[in-house]
Amino acid sequence: MTLTPARPGRYAAVFAGPVTDYPREAALHELFAAVAARRPYAPAIRAGRRELSYGELDARSRALAARLREAGVRPGDAVGVCGGRSPEAIVAVLGVLRAGAAYVPLDEHSPPARLNAMAEDSGVRAAVVLPGARCRVRRLGVRVALTDGPDPGPGFESPAVGAGACAYVTFTSGSTGRPKPVAVPHRGVVRLALSDPDLPRPGAADRVLHGYAPSSGASTIEIWSGLLGGSCLVIAEREELLSPVALERRLREDEVTIAYLTTSVFHHVARTRPHAFAGLRFVSAGGEAMDPALAREVVRACPSTEVANLYGPAENTVVSTVHFVRGLPEDARTVPIGRPLANSTCRVLLPDGSPAGRGEEGELYVGGDGLALGYPGDPRLTAERFVTFDDGERLYRTGDRVTVNPDGVLEHLGRLDRRLKLRGRRVEPDEVEARLRDHPSVGEAVVGVEDDGLVAYLTPAVPGRPADPSALRRFCAKWLPAPAVPRAIHQLAAFPLTPAGKVDRAGLAALVRERTTAAPPGADPGDEAGLRAVVASAWEAALGVRPEAGDDFFLIGGDSLLAAEVVNRTRAVLGLDAAHGSRLIRALLDAPTVEGFAGAVADALAGTPGPGTAVDFEAEARLGFTLPHATGPAPRPGDPADVLLTGATGFVGAFLLDRLLGRTSARVHCPVRARDTVHARRRVLATLDRYGLSVAGREDRVICFPGDLTDPELGLGPSHLHELGRTLDLIVHCGARVNLVYPYPALRDANVEGTRAIVRLAARRRVPVHFLSTVAVLAGFGAAGTRHVNEDVPLAHADRLTMGYAESKWVAERVLREAARQGLPVAVYRPYEVTGDRRTGVCNTETAICSLFKMIAETGFAPDIALPMDFVPVDHVADAIVRIATGRTTASETYHLTNPRPATLADVVERMRATGFEIETLPYARWVGELIRHVTADPASPAAPFVSLYVDRGGGTDGSVEETYAEGMFPRLGRRNTEAALAGSGLTCPPVDTTLIDHYLEHLFASGFIRRPRAGRGMS
């Protein structure tokens, strides 16, 4: 976006700070290393009684950088830092930078749903996990636990990183209800810390308060001004910031000389203990409008302390302008935000783009060396907010209303978009309103501010059916910081309107001024209330949100993995047998409220039988419609121009996309669960990157768009659906909801109805459908006593299956078989255990088999069970499917993608021992007891979602589900079709031998999924 001022020359429209000589071409870690070399023994960080010197911080961050590089982190990658404020967080930040990457602070106190959204949108594929913290981010390629490691020595060199490269990614609120990532360059932070001669710079004799988590913008000036100045950072606990007495004690006892505070903390202290800052040489406030009366109180009580009001958005590296509070008039009603920082610029423009005159209100644009790079993954919004003027200067539109006073100083008047700062956090009412409107019980929503808190005004989605205020607050808490959750909620049948037809906000306040929203009734006394309290505590521990009556688990951040965690936490507290796990999962799906789940828990405690779950699979497996007569040009699967690939954001799907692009010249259409096409494309590319794949040079052949397998029309519009039906030559249906815990009804829409939707799309032109199933559909044969199953044997024994996922795939296969009988070309692929790429070892660690290996490594116990390790490398699976799909005429065949030379679990355990693990093999029943103890102690363990596999009974057997896959129980699988189809192709599945097992273990170690044994003897 380019702006041309309409009325140039009215006055100096550009406010520029002084241009100073500072190391604008240097990277942050380079400047830090120079300080550490000069002052290796000086204290860098103090936390209570702990101190870390510059030399120690330098060595530990170098060691971490070396580990990150060894783990595959590349220059420019976004690396999450999982945890809170601590000396180790500083080590992690520096280590990430020294690896050439950008750090992304992920506060452990944020709800898991929000954390995962932040990680996805910022492109995090690797993370450093701080001591004592749990990484709640999924779909990571690399996890590195921060531990003391050896100094990599003088041979280690950080990759060359320019000052314009991204140093960190922070987040701001957005009107979509989703946090926006902001990429900040090294130069922006160096400008903030070192370029302004008037802003007191910390020096070697200073101690700088470090009171804010790295995820807060306020921490940027604390950390980097302190470290680049050679000062000592003094870490304050969050509780100290909330208590003026405690904060004063911290400042005094640790002899702090510089404090960069949020305005809310500054005000909190100034109201009761303005003299608390007397020992400082400099204190600043920023983030909200400074109260002039409180500012004067501090100046009077602390005559030797320089007081400053700082202003700036994250998009301009935290600080754009500064105003020193000196001689503030007694009648001043505001405190100015001042003049631009050194090497920074400001412009004040009217809506038509012309410069505002003195005293004339306009929008503030800021720029200079602090300007952010933009919003990663959102070029449209970046172009909208970061604008370029005719003179070539690029600035950020702040959305703030300002004016220039007679002294040439900027005065802040408010937000154009009503964005607020409450209790130190930026809050945008539009974001809160969007979140409220997302709730199914809300029609319209408007929020305002009353008594320093948000108040919401709502109309019901269904007239006469008001929303539950407590539920709405918890629903907001899933995404929003605490200050953005409305304190009060007023509900009206309809909103009053102005003559112009807009909502009369003043009229809203007048209508409800005397009204209050009643609090929900308290829990009933007695055991029932106590049980609900236990359930609520388990939810809060898993979700990071305290539920209230009526809250829907899945609307306040819950999902399938967190459901398993909640069940295990509840079971651990109440001593419930693990055999109740699947039953409680089903109960949570059926009644996802605290009350409903507590009722199911009470039934389990009382020994009341659970509800029946019988499904008529034969009826479910009917196609349900007749295919139309074939019309239109015949598809050309041997030389496809257009291919539909579902599941492209999955492990196998990513490799299929890569192979389709490499083996054909087709355009590959990828429906993805996403907000829009930009988000869809970003998700697909991120998945490819996670697994070391790329579409470089082939980008124009990857067509991504929002889609939904649970929708009868795949979530596509009629014209889009028609165009695909007209042009497709091939469909590879890899997408599914993969969950080994959920029952069949929870998976039916995606896995069965989604397959019917694919059939409808393919039917008119008889486009060949290649369907990815699983060998689990054959488990019923083993339970029925069948010991060998060929590929062409009709599916049977659904009643002997146990897992809902296997049942859903069984039904989907049968649906496709009926379509094939009506003339639709169909191929079905049943892979066994899809494992890592043969070349890189990269694998999907969110699987039952990987969780089993991790549990064995962590506990030192392995089960004595003849479990086949029928590993089929993902690259072989993708190569085989693409070869068959494009190289043969589909004759409605089934292919068993299994390994002709598998191993057993005992072979894997032996290779783990060879690396240094001490592992004891236990009888299966004893080992299950150890598994349950492990998960009880750590309900968020990767093994937790899979406990039911080891305790639930297999259909029609005396053993567990897992035991139905053991040798002698699970049938041997024929491979005649597969071998015939791949004959002469050169595609062979490698044996599961020492080489392949060691290769996979090395990747699990290098990625941080399993911690490498310290005393490892090495692999022979």
Side-chain angles (χ1 to χ4, degrees):
M1 181 177 180
T2 302
L3 290 182
T4 303
R7 293 182 290 170
R10 292 189 63 201
Y11 80 108
V14 179
F15 296 86
V19 177
T20 62
D21 184 19
Y22 75 102
R24 71 186 304 272
E25 300 303 327
L28 289 167
H29 54 282
E30 296 170 346
L31 296 170
F32 167 81
V35 174
R38 293 194 304 268
R39 298 172 48 80
Y41 304 108
I45 309 170
R46 171 179 288 184
R49 297 182 179 180
R50 293 180 60 199
E51 273 195 358
L52 201 63
S53 70
Y54 272 88
E56 291 169 322
L57 184 54
D58 181 65
R60 291 189 64 185
S61 62
R62 278 168 51 84
L64 175 60
R67 290 179 62 199
L68 289 169
R69 294 287 291 162
E70 290 172 2
V73 170
R74 302 158 302 185
D77 281 357
V79 178
V81 176
C82 301
R85 182 177 60 260
S86 65
E88 286 72 23
I90 307 299
V91 173
V93 161
L94 275 165
V96 170
L97 292 176
R98 298 182 96 152
Y103 65 92
V104 183
L106 298 171
D107 195 322
E108 61 184 339
H109 299 298
S110 294
R114 188 179 182 92
L115 279 178
N116 279 281
M118 293 163 68
E120 177 185 314
D121 289 351
S122 57
V124 168
R125 299 290 163 261
V128 178
V129 185
L130 304 184
R134 174 171 292 281
C135 180
R136 309 290 294 220
V137 179
R138 300 172 189 158
R139 298 175 66 84
L140 290 173
V142 174
R143 296 173 183 82
V144 175
L146 183 58
T147 57
D148 288 325
D151 190 310
F156 174 78
E157 292 186 7
S158 295
V161 174
C166 181
Y168 71 93
V169 177
T170 188
F171 293 85
T172 65
S173 298
S175 58
T176 62
R178 191 178 180 97
K180 294 182 301 184
V182 180
V184 178
H186 286 258
R187 180 178 293 128
V189 185
V190 177
R191 173 220 58 142
L192 173 64
L194 298 178
S195 79
D196 197 310
D198 294 328
L199 195 65
R201 298 184 195 172
D206 284 305
R207 291 183 174 179
V208 178
L209 187 72
H210 177 24
Y212 298 96
S215 58
S216 167
S219 71
T220 302
I221 190 170
E222 293 178 334
I223 294 171
W224 295 111
S225 294
L227 291 182
L228 300 190
S231 308
C232 177
L233 297 179
V234 175
I235 294 180
E237 297 298 326
R238 182 175 183 274
E239 293 74 14
E240 292 176 315
L241 295 180
L242 302 178
S243 167
V245 174
L247 181 57
E248 181 182 12
R249 185 185 307 116
R250 173 63 63 201
L251 297 175
R252 183 179 63 252
E253 291 180 355
D254 280 316
E255 300 178 319
V256 173
T257 57
I258 293 178
Y260 305 100
L261 303 176
T262 59
T263 308
S264 58
V265 171
F266 179 85
H267 285 169
H268 193 41
V269 176
R271 284 190 181 95
T272 57
R273 307 185 74 81
H275 56 276
F277 303 128
L280 305 179
R281 72 180 184 91
F282 177 76
V283 63
S284 66
E288 297 173 89
M290 180 181 278
D291 186 300
L294 295 177
R296 285 191 292 267
E297 285 293 327
V298 172
V299 170
R300 279 194 289 264
C302 310
S304 300
T305 303
E306 184 82 78
V307 180
N309 186 28
L310 304 182
Y311 161 86
E315 290 86 350
N316 200 37
T317 319
V318 184
V319 180
S320 300
T321 67
V322 58
H323 180 76
F324 295 98
V325 184
R326 303 164 182 153
L328 194 65
E330 288 294 327
D331 62 348
R333 302 183 63 184
T334 62
V335 178
I337 60 173
R339 295 186 171 89
L341 212 61
N343 306 290
S344 304
T345 58
C346 297
R347 301 192 188 197
V348 184
L349 302 180
L350 298 175
D352 64 1
S354 62
R358 293 286 175 99
E360 194 172 13
E361 179 184 314
E363 181 180 1
L364 179 62
Y365 292 65
V366 296
D369 284 355
L371 196 64
L373 301 173
Y375 302 112
D378 199 336
R380 181 197 59 77
L381 186 61
T382 298
E384 177 183 317
R385 303 303 301 176
F386 292 82
V387 300
T388 302
F389 286 79
D390 279 354
D391 58 10
E393 186 173 22
R394 184 169 175 262
L395 293 96
Y396 170 68
R397 297 185 63 173
T398 67
D400 284 318
R401 298 179 294 112
V402 299
T403 188
V404 182
N405 70 17
D407 296 327
V409 174
L410 290 166
E411 300 266 4
H412 189 267
L413 304 177
R415 292 287 306 165
L416 288 171
D417 57 5
R418 302 187 298 118
R419 188 177 292 170
L420 309 167
K421 277 295 183 76
L422 297 174
R423 307 197 324 254
R425 299 291 298 270
R426 176 171 285 185
V427 174
E428 183 168 354
D430 287 344
E431 180 185 17
V432 182
E433 291 171 358
R435 182 65 185 158
L436 287 166
R437 284 193 295 267
D438 281 344
H439 195 280
S441 65
V442 175
E444 291 297 319
V446 167
V447 298
V449 179
E450 289 181 9
D451 299 325
D452 295 325
L454 282 187
V455 58
Y457 306 92
L458 313 174
T459 62
V462 179
R465 294 179 59 181
D468 182 343
S470 297
L472 289 174
R473 280 191 286 270
R474 306 325 302 165
F475 183 66
C476 289
K478 171 187 172 183
W479 287 106
L480 306 173
V485 178
R487 292 181 180 178
I489 295 177
H490 304 297
Q491 303 191 57
L492 302 169
F495 287 158
L497 302 177
T498 66
K502 297 182 178 181
V503 175
D504 184 354
R505 294 176 181 269
L508 281 173
L511 280 174
V512 299
R513 189 169 291 125
E514 301 301 323
R515 294 175 53 187
T516 59
T517 301
D524 295 333
D527 292 341
E528 184 178 348
L531 185 58
R532 289 184 181 181
V534 168
V535 167
S537 295
W539 285 30
E540 183 176 20
L543 301 177
V545 175
R546 181 71 180 177
E548 295 187 7
D551 276 347
D552 186 309
F553 178 81
F554 298 99
L555 289 182
I556 59 172
D559 58 24
S560 61
L561 294 182
L562 292 173
E565 181 179 335
V566 159
V567 167
N568 283 301
R569 288 184 181 278
T570 305
R571 201 180 46 71
V573 172
L574 299 174
L576 268 171
D577 190 278
H580 293 290
S582 294
R583 169 185 177 175
L584 293 179
I585 288 285
R586 288 193 294 270
L588 189 56
L589 289 166
D590 292 339
T593 63
V594 168
E595 299 84 357
F597 186 59
V601 172
D603 289 343
L605 287 169
T608 305
T613 57
V615 176
D616 184 346
F617 291 110
E618 291 294 337
E620 288 285 307
R622 298 187 187 106
L623 177 59
F625 54 90
T626 301
L627 301 191
H629 294 295
T631 60
R636 298 173 52 191
D639 182 23
D642 291 275
V643 177
L644 181 76
L645 171 65
T646 66
T649 56
F651 180 47
V652 177
F655 279 82
L656 282 169
L657 174 58
D658 178 75
R659 271 30 180 201
L660 285 166
L661 292 172
R663 305 283 194 270
T664 76
S665 59
R667 292 178 293 271
V668 184
H669 302 257
C670 304
V672 177
R673 283 185 294 107
R675 300 185 300 276
D676 50 40
T677 55
V678 172
H679 185 215
R681 187 173 186 82
R682 187 164 72 238
R683 289 197 66 207
V684 170
L685 296 182
T687 301
L688 291 169
D689 183 65
R690 177 188 179 192
Y691 297 124
L693 304 172
S694 172
V695 295
R698 306 173 294 184
E699 298 92 339
D700 60 329
R701 291 169 50 208
V702 182
I703 303 169
C704 306
F705 46 88
D708 184 359
L709 287 176
T710 66
D711 187 281
E713 306 299 328
L714 299 174
L716 310 179
S719 60
H720 191 177
L721 205 62
H722 174 77
E723 182 64 16
L724 287 175
R726 188 182 68 82
T727 59
L728 288 176
D729 293 304
L730 181 66
I731 295 175
V732 181
H733 182 28
C734 179
R737 188 172 189 184
V738 182
N739 189 296
L740 304 187
V741 178
Y742 276 14
Y744 172 81
L747 304 174
R748 182 181 186 273
D749 284 351
N751 297 357
V752 177
E753 294 304 323
T755 301
R756 286 194 175 95
I758 290 293
V759 170
R760 281 191 289 267
L761 174 62
R764 189 163 298 280
R765 291 179 48 246
R766 301 299 194 263
V767 179
V769 175
H770 291 256
F771 176 68
L772 195 73
S773 186
T774 169
V775 296
V777 299
L778 305 175
F781 283 89
T786 303
R787 292 294 167 257
H788 189 274
V789 178
N790 288 321
E791 291 158 307
D792 296 328
V793 171
L795 271 185
H797 307 299
D799 58 314
R800 291 180 178 270
L801 297 176
T802 303
M803 291 188 299
Y805 176 67
E807 294 165 347
S808 70
K809 285 292 189 176
W810 189 98
V811 173
E813 276 200 36
R814 290 282 295 270
V815 165
L816 286 168
R817 284 294 165 230
E818 183 175 339
R821 287 193 293 272
Q822 295 188 39
L824 182 69
V826 170
V828 172
Y829 303 87
R830 296 175 185 153
Y832 213 117
E833 192 68 55
V834 181
T835 51
D837 179 83
R838 279 176 291 187
R839 181 178 60 85
T840 65
V842 66
C843 62
N844 176 17
T845 56
E846 296 173 359
T847 61
I849 198 69
C850 283
S851 76
L852 174 62
F853 296 160
K854 183 175 177 68
M855 186 266 178
I856 291 173
E858 292 179 348
T859 64
F861 298 115
D864 186 7
I865 178 175
L867 196 64
M869 296 291 102
D870 196 321
F871 293 167
V872 191
V874 65
D875 52 311
H876 177 73
V877 170
D879 285 334
I881 292 175
V882 173
R883 164 78 181 191
I884 295 170
T886 60
R888 286 173 58 92
T889 301
T890 301
S892 297
E893 291 181 334
T894 297
Y895 303 94
H896 287 166
L897 300 182
T898 61
N899 198 310
R901 291 161 291 179
T904 66
L905 179 60
D907 297 315
V908 175
V909 171
E910 185 55 38
R911 297 314 303 159
M912 294 177 72
R913 289 187 178 117
T915 70
F917 287 107
E918 295 182 0
I919 301 171
E920 179 183 357
T921 299
L922 300 178
Y924 185 75
R926 280 186 58 195
W927 178 82
V928 170
E930 293 297 334
L931 168 65
I932 292 170
R933 276 188 282 277
H934 173 70
V935 171
T936 298
D938 183 9
S941 164
F946 306 108
V947 170
S948 62
L949 299 182
Y950 304 100
V951 298
D952 287 359
R953 298 296 90 186
T957 72
D958 294 329
S960 67
V961 174
E962 192 69 9
E963 288 175 290
T964 63
Y965 290 85
E967 290 182 354
M969 175 61 74
F970 194 79
R972 297 187 309 277
L973 305 181
R975 303 180 71 254
R976 184 172 56 190
N977 291 347
T978 301
E979 290 170 356
L982 298 182
S985 68
L987 298 178
T988 59
C989 189
V992 186
D993 55 12
T994 295
T995 300
L996 189 67
I997 295 171
D998 288 354
H999 185 47
Y1000 288 156
L1001 288 175
E1002 178 56 33
H1003 173 75
L1004 295 177
F1005 295 152
S1007 68
F1009 181 73
I1010 296 177
R1011 184 169 295 184
R1012 191 187 300 273
R1014 287 182 178 273
R1017 298 191 298 274
M1019 297 180 186
S1020 59

